[in-house]
Amino acid sequence: VRTVGSNGARTMEAIREAGLGLIFEHGYEAMTLRQLATEVGLQQGSLYNHFRTKQELLFKLIMHHMENLLAELDTALSGIADPVERLSAFVGFHVRYHITRRREVFISYSELRSLEPENYNAIVALRGRYEDVLTGIISDGVAAGTIRTADARIAAFGLIAMLSGIVNWYQPKGRRTADEIAAIYKEMAFCGLVVDKRAA
Amino acid sequence: VRTVGSNGARTMEAIREAGLGLIFEHGYEAMTLRQLATEVGLQQGSLYNHFRTKQELLFKLIMHHMENLLAELDTALSGIADPVERLSAFVGFHVRYHITRRREVFISYSELRSLEPENYNAIVALRGRYEDVLTGIISDGVAAGTIRTADARIAAFGLIAMLSGIVNWYQPKGRRTADEIAAIYKEMAFCGLVVDKRAA
Amino acid sequence: VRTVGSNGARTMEAIREAGLGLIFEHGYEAMTLRQLATEVGLQQGSLYNHFRTKQELLFKLIMHHMENLLAELDTALSGIADPVERLSAFVGFHVRYHITRRREVFISYSELRSLEPENYNAIVALRGRYEDVLTGIISDGVAAGTIRTADARIAAFGLIAMLSGIVNWYQPKGRRTADEIAAIYKEMAFCGLVVDKRAA
Amino acid sequence: VRTVGSNGARTMEAIREAGLGLIFEHGYEAMTLRQLATEVGLQQGSLYNHFRTKQELLFKLIMHHMENLLAELDTALSGIADPVERLSAFVGFHVRYHITRRREVFISYSELRSLEPENYNAIVALRGRYEDVLTGIISDGVAAGTIRTADARIAAFGLIAMLSGIVNWYQPKGRRTADEIAAIYKEMAFCGLVVDKRAA
DNA sequence: AATGAATGAGTATTCATTCAT
DNA sequence: AATGAATGAATACTCATTCAT
């Protein structure tokens, strides 16, 4: 029976939103479709008009996020040429994005393991492209003599891990604003922690 | 019926080891006690001679790791007084530990969510003590004028996140040894990436 | 929304044909209306413009077949008076019909069990009329002294079962034509298998 | 919880018996494991201590029957050499077996379609061996000049179909005993129905 | 300390059917 | 006459856990 005023696209959006929240809170395996249906206001079976399997829902959620991430990164870096400036823009973008899209980001890391091989590979490929952008920036800087590291790839991994850790403790009502956090991390990434470098 | 030659302590050790592997691979929720029993060579029911619930198994695994982590950190830092030297020792220890105890470390991050409130709190308290050690080192350095950061706590979080990210990509047969990796990370943490700091 | 050029009667015929094929292949219980709709090129809901329930579809399919069977039998026997000649005509008709309408025949036997009581009774009544025709022929022959059996009814059942078994193994491209098969069965039915009857 | 006095073999036997009855009555697809569990006096999940899937239960039931059928046929024919006498023994055996094991026999025909390909092939192979025995008897008789037919294989199929049809109408309380039915069918199979063979 | 049979609650998914559009 | 979104009940199967043996 079609509920008066129901609408496919609107329902799918509600499923997306509820799914994001439930997976963020309980994890993909622990979230049940009963919970999801209740949250959306549907019967369990009706969910299947909008996705084919629970796995597909997870994949769509993560995929949508990854594509968005890459697109917005592209925008954030466009028009900037100098490696150090690009690095600065990357850090700023990454912190802001991870703070505003906390749930998507968290899920995209923590639920990778629940993706079936084919889906897993698709996501990891996109993640690789994101990492490659940063690795490229660092390599360019090294070539230009303005960035220094023994291994651009490992440095990129380290930097991304550091910045991404924010989602584990950031609270919107916390003691620091997003911009302050970005500044602190940028300082760490650029200058390091130690004043008298001879000690290193 | 007691199988000839069976032995309680030995069985528990086998459960520990198998559980570590299965949770690392599939996640706590996704690991079934049937899998665990098969791996250990028991029937499902027999597992309950060694732990009371699946939750207890997870908790013991993580707790054991956290206690070990803190004890070893203590050893690694003992006898070192200077903050910068302590920081150096911390980084070295953390990288080495995370590389050698990859599964325990990974689980202790990713399965926190599956712990029941009481157990969760107990673990988070220990994790807090670990973070506090690093925060203390940084604060001491700032007071001594040899470390520079706007927020010792956030810097500690950032550093730990950066170093911990290693478990996501480290391969024992990879292109870098543990010591090389530690050196690269130490350099990043101490000096930052940018050569000409005026650009920041 | 009415698809351009769609036509009620044509659609119903397509449903009939697809339903016949699917039930023959998978069985009534195992055939889903989703499969049927896909085969016909409709959405599930649209099927209900052509029948009221899945059960009704099955009933109509079988009923249509039974009525047709009886009507064609009538034609095949019309004008023949002698019991042995009528028996011969019956066998020839039954074999030919079962070979050409394999799917209908098969379903009408195997899916009887899936009919609701009322529908079941209606079909079994028609089947009884078909069996009665053969029983009558045999009885007439016995009365006339040209057919011999201890029980006309059981003989009729046995003969029908023997002939109907054809649907289980007949292949249009097989080693025998329909006429050859009919001849072999007629010989068996008329003369039996054993040459020297004293052995029986 | 192990019910006091419960026993694996006894439970499996109860499942077998109940499964036979339910599949005979409703068909494999229509029988639910809820019904089966209720009939046996277990919870649904407990059934899975005794078979791995519903399909496996069906397969075991049919396989057990087919092996039994072949073993008993062997016994029934052992020590008989003359083809006509073997034919007589076959008919007698088949009728008696099909009357006493009505449910197994019925299921083994009607649920063949529900078997997965691998299982299906295993059963059809055994059925083929049964048909081969009869085909062999008829061929031997033809070679000896005591049996007459244009096609031993088709005659075997026809005879088996005729005899097997009994399961569709036989009632233990009916008007004829098993032995009478066997006699009537033997007469039909041996001598045919028609007195004056010139009419054929 | 281990087994094997049981529980009971739960899981994702499917199905025939309905009905506003 | 067809669609697409919904229902509600059911389905096979799984899971952590229990306990008599």
Side-chain angles (χ1 to χ4, degrees):
Chain A
V1 184
R2 181 139 171 194
T3 300
V4 180
S6 81
N7 169 291
R10 215 182 311 153
T11 302
M12 185 64 217
E13 203 36 59
I15 290 175
R16 225 189 190 82
E17 178 62 24
L20 223 40
L22 287 168
I23 297 177
F24 177 67
E25 201 176 343
H26 306 106
Y28 169 75
E29 299 267 6
M31 173 194 78
T32 74
L33 294 187
R34 196 177 340 208
Q35 290 175 306
L36 182 59
T38 301
E39 196 101 333
V40 178
L42 286 180
Q43 295 296 321
Q44 281 187 74
S46 306
L47 294 174
Y48 285 82
N49 287 318
H50 304 279
F51 52 77
R52 272 186 303 256
T53 62
K54 192 187 176 190
Q55 167 77 200
E56 189 191 275
L57 174 64
L58 175 64
F59 178 60
K60 276 185 174 173
L61 247 29
I62 298 185
M63 182 50 108
H64 184 266
H65 157 66
M66 291 305 296
E67 285 170 345
N68 200 250
L69 177 73
L70 283 166
E72 294 201 14
L73 175 64
D74 209 47
T75 304
L77 296 181
S78 80
I80 308 179
D82 176 64
V84 170
E85 280 173 35
R86 283 173 72 81
L87 182 61
S88 175
F90 185 98
V91 172
F93 164 75
H94 190 99
V95 170
R96 248 178 297 111
Y97 192 100
H98 278 55
I99 278 175
T100 36
R101 300 278 172 73
R102 214 179 139 216
R103 297 177 310 174
E104 288 89 333
V105 164
F106 183 81
I107 290 171
S108 297
Y109 277 98
S110 64
E111 301 302 349
L112 235 41
R113 179 177 47 189
S114 296
L115 288 173
E116 288 164 3
E118 198 174 356
N119 294 337
Y120 178 86
N121 291 334
I123 298 299
V124 166
L126 291 188
R127 192 185 61 180
R129 281 175 46 194
Y130 188 76
E131 293 162 349
D132 286 348
V133 171
L134 180 55
T135 306
I137 291 172
I138 294 174
S139 295
D140 289 350
V142 169
T146 51
I147 292 178
R148 175 189 47 198
T149 180
D151 192 312
R153 185 136 206 87
I154 289 181
F157 285 166
L159 189 50
I160 287 176
M162 182 173 84
L163 301 174
S164 300
I166 295 173
V167 300
N168 293 316
W169 54 264
Y170 176 76
Q171 305 278 6
K173 316 235 169 220
R175 163 171 79 82
R176 299 281 188 185
T177 66
D179 282 345
E180 285 174 340
I181 294 169
I184 294 168
Y185 274 86
K186 208 176 288 184
E187 171 83 11
M188 267 182 79
F190 275 38
C191 310
L193 292 164
V194 175
V195 174
D196 180 358
K197 311 295 165 155
R198 288 165 303 190
Chain B
V1 182
R2 182 146 171 186
T3 298
V4 180
S6 76
N7 171 293
R10 215 183 312 151
T11 302
M12 186 61 215
E13 202 35 60
I15 290 174
R16 224 190 191 77
E17 177 62 21
L20 222 40
L22 287 169
I23 298 177
F24 178 67
E25 200 176 343
H26 305 106
Y28 169 76
E29 298 266 8
M31 173 195 77
T32 75
L33 294 188
R34 194 171 352 201
Q35 288 176 308
L36 182 59
T38 301
E39 196 103 332
V40 177
L42 290 179
Q43 293 300 103
Q44 280 185 79
S46 308
L47 294 174
Y48 286 82
N49 290 316
H50 304 278
F51 52 77
R52 269 185 309 245
T53 63
K54 192 188 178 192
Q55 169 75 202
E56 189 191 274
L57 173 65
L58 175 64
F59 178 60
K60 277 186 173 171
L61 246 29
I62 298 184
M63 181 53 106
H64 184 266
H65 157 67
M66 291 306 297
E67 284 171 348
N68 200 250
L69 176 73
L70 283 166
E72 294 201 14
L73 174 64
D74 210 46
T75 305
L77 295 182
S78 80
I80 308 179
D82 176 64
V84 170
E85 279 174 34
R86 285 173 70 82
L87 182 61
S88 176
F90 185 98
V91 171
F93 164 75
H94 191 100
V95 169
R96 249 178 296 109
Y97 192 100
H98 278 56
I99 277 175
T100 36
R101 300 279 172 73
R102 210 176 142 221
R103 297 178 308 174
E104 289 88 332
V105 164
F106 184 82
I107 290 171
S108 297
Y109 278 100
S110 64
E111 300 303 347
L112 237 40
R113 178 176 50 189
S114 296
L115 288 172
E116 287 164 4
E118 197 175 356
N119 294 335
Y120 178 87
N121 291 333
I123 298 300
V124 166
L126 292 187
R127 191 184 62 180
R129 282 175 45 195
Y130 188 76
E131 293 162 348
D132 286 348
V133 171
L134 180 56
T135 306
I137 292 173
I138 294 174
S139 295
D140 290 350
V142 169
T146 51
I147 293 179
R148 174 189 47 197
T149 179
D151 192 313
R153 185 137 204 85
I154 289 182
F157 285 165
L159 189 50
I160 287 176
M162 182 174 85
L163 300 174
S164 301
I166 293 173
V167 300
N168 293 316
W169 56 264
Y170 176 76
Q171 306 278 8
K173 317 233 167 222
R175 118 187 112 81
R176 298 281 187 186
T177 66
D179 282 345
E180 284 174 340
I181 294 169
I184 294 169
Y185 275 85
K186 209 175 287 182
E187 169 85 7
M188 265 182 83
F190 275 38
C191 310
L193 292 165
V194 175
V195 173
D196 179 358
K197 310 296 162 148
R198 286 165 304 189
Chain C
V1 183
R2 182 147 171 186
T3 299
V4 179
S6 76
N7 171 294
R10 217 184 310 152
T11 302
M12 186 61 217
E13 202 34 59
I15 291 175
R16 225 192 188 78
E17 178 62 22
L20 223 40
L22 286 169
I23 298 176
F24 177 67
E25 200 177 343
H26 305 107
Y28 169 76
E29 298 266 8
M31 171 195 78
T32 75
L33 294 187
R34 197 176 343 208
Q35 288 176 308
L36 183 59
T38 300
E39 196 103 333
V40 177
L42 289 180
Q43 293 300 102
Q44 281 185 77
S46 307
L47 293 173
Y48 286 81
N49 290 316
H50 302 280
F51 53 77
R52 269 184 309 243
T53 64
K54 193 187 178 191
Q55 168 77 201
E56 188 191 275
L57 174 65
L58 175 64
F59 178 60
K60 276 185 174 172
L61 247 29
I62 298 184
M63 181 52 105
H64 184 265
H65 157 66
M66 291 306 296
E67 285 171 346
N68 200 251
L69 177 73
L70 283 165
E72 293 200 16
L73 175 63
D74 210 47
T75 305
L77 295 181
S78 80
I80 308 179
D82 176 64
V84 170
E85 279 173 34
R86 282 172 71 80
L87 183 60
S88 175
F90 185 98
V91 171
F93 164 75
H94 190 99
V95 169
R96 249 178 297 110
Y97 192 99
H98 277 57
I99 278 175
T100 37
R101 301 280 171 75
R102 212 177 142 219
R103 297 178 309 172
E104 289 88 333
V105 164
F106 184 82
I107 289 171
S108 297
Y109 276 99
S110 63
E111 300 303 347
L112 235 41
R113 179 175 50 186
S114 295
L115 288 172
E116 287 164 4
E118 197 175 357
N119 294 336
Y120 178 86
N121 292 333
I123 298 300
V124 167
L126 292 188
R127 191 184 63 181
R129 279 176 45 196
Y130 188 76
E131 293 162 349
D132 287 348
V133 170
L134 180 56
T135 307
I137 291 173
I138 294 175
S139 295
D140 289 350
V142 170
T146 51
I147 292 179
R148 173 190 50 196
T149 180
D151 192 311
R153 186 133 204 88
I154 289 181
F157 284 165
L159 189 50
I160 286 176
M162 181 173 86
L163 300 175
S164 301
I166 293 172
V167 299
N168 292 317
W169 55 264
Y170 176 75
Q171 306 277 10
K173 315 237 165 215
R175 141 178 96 80
R176 300 280 187 185
T177 67
D179 283 346
E180 284 174 341
I181 294 169
I184 293 169
Y185 274 87
K186 207 175 286 183
E187 170 83 9
M188 265 182 81
F190 276 38
C191 310
L193 292 164
V194 175
V195 173
D196 180 357
K197 310 298 165 151
R198 286 165 306 189
Chain D
V1 185
R2 180 141 171 193
T3 299
V4 179
S6 82
N7 169 291
R10 214 183 311 152
T11 302
M12 185 63 217
E13 202 36 59
I15 290 175
R16 225 189 190 82
E17 178 63 22
L20 223 41
L22 286 169
I23 298 177
F24 178 67
E25 201 176 342
H26 305 105
Y28 169 76
E29 297 267 6
M31 172 194 77
T32 74
L33 295 186
R34 193 176 343 207
Q35 289 176 307
L36 182 59
T38 302
E39 195 101 334
V40 177
L42 287 181
Q43 294 296 321
Q44 283 185 69
S46 306
L47 294 173
Y48 287 81
N49 287 318
H50 304 280
F51 52 77
R52 271 186 304 257
T53 62
K54 192 186 176 191
Q55 167 77 200
E56 189 191 275
L57 174 65
L58 176 64
F59 178 59
K60 277 185 173 173
L61 248 28
I62 298 184
M63 182 50 108
H64 184 267
H65 157 66
M66 291 306 296
E67 285 170 345
N68 200 251
L69 177 73
L70 283 166
E72 294 200 15
L73 175 64
D74 209 47
T75 305
L77 295 181
S78 80
I80 308 179
D82 177 63
V84 170
E85 278 172 35
R86 283 173 71 81
L87 183 60
S88 175
F90 185 98
V91 172
F93 164 76
H94 190 101
V95 169
R96 247 177 300 109
Y97 192 99
H98 277 58
I99 278 175
T100 37
R101 301 280 172 74
R102 211 179 142 217
R103 296 177 311 174
E104 288 88 333
V105 164
F106 184 81
I107 289 171
S108 297
Y109 277 99
S110 63
E111 300 302 349
L112 233 42
R113 178 177 50 187
S114 295
L115 288 172
E116 286 164 5
E118 198 175 353
N119 295 336
Y120 178 87
N121 291 334
I123 298 300
V124 166
L126 291 188
R127 192 184 63 181
R129 281 174 45 195
Y130 188 76
E131 293 162 349
D132 286 348
V133 172
L134 180 55
T135 305
I137 292 173
I138 294 175
S139 295
D140 289 350
V142 169
T146 51
I147 292 179
R148 174 190 48 199
T149 179
D151 192 312
R153 186 135 205 87
I154 290 181
F157 285 165
L159 189 52
I160 286 175
M162 181 174 85
L163 300 175
S164 300
I166 294 173
V167 299
N168 292 317
W169 55 263
Y170 176 76
Q171 305 279 8
K173 317 236 165 215
R175 139 180 97 79
R176 298 281 188 185
T177 67
D179 282 346
E180 284 175 341
I181 294 169
I184 294 169
Y185 274 86
K186 208 176 286 184
E187 170 84 11
M188 265 181 81
F190 275 39
C191 310
L193 292 165
V194 174
V195 174
D196 181 356
K197 310 296 164 141
R198 286 165 305 187

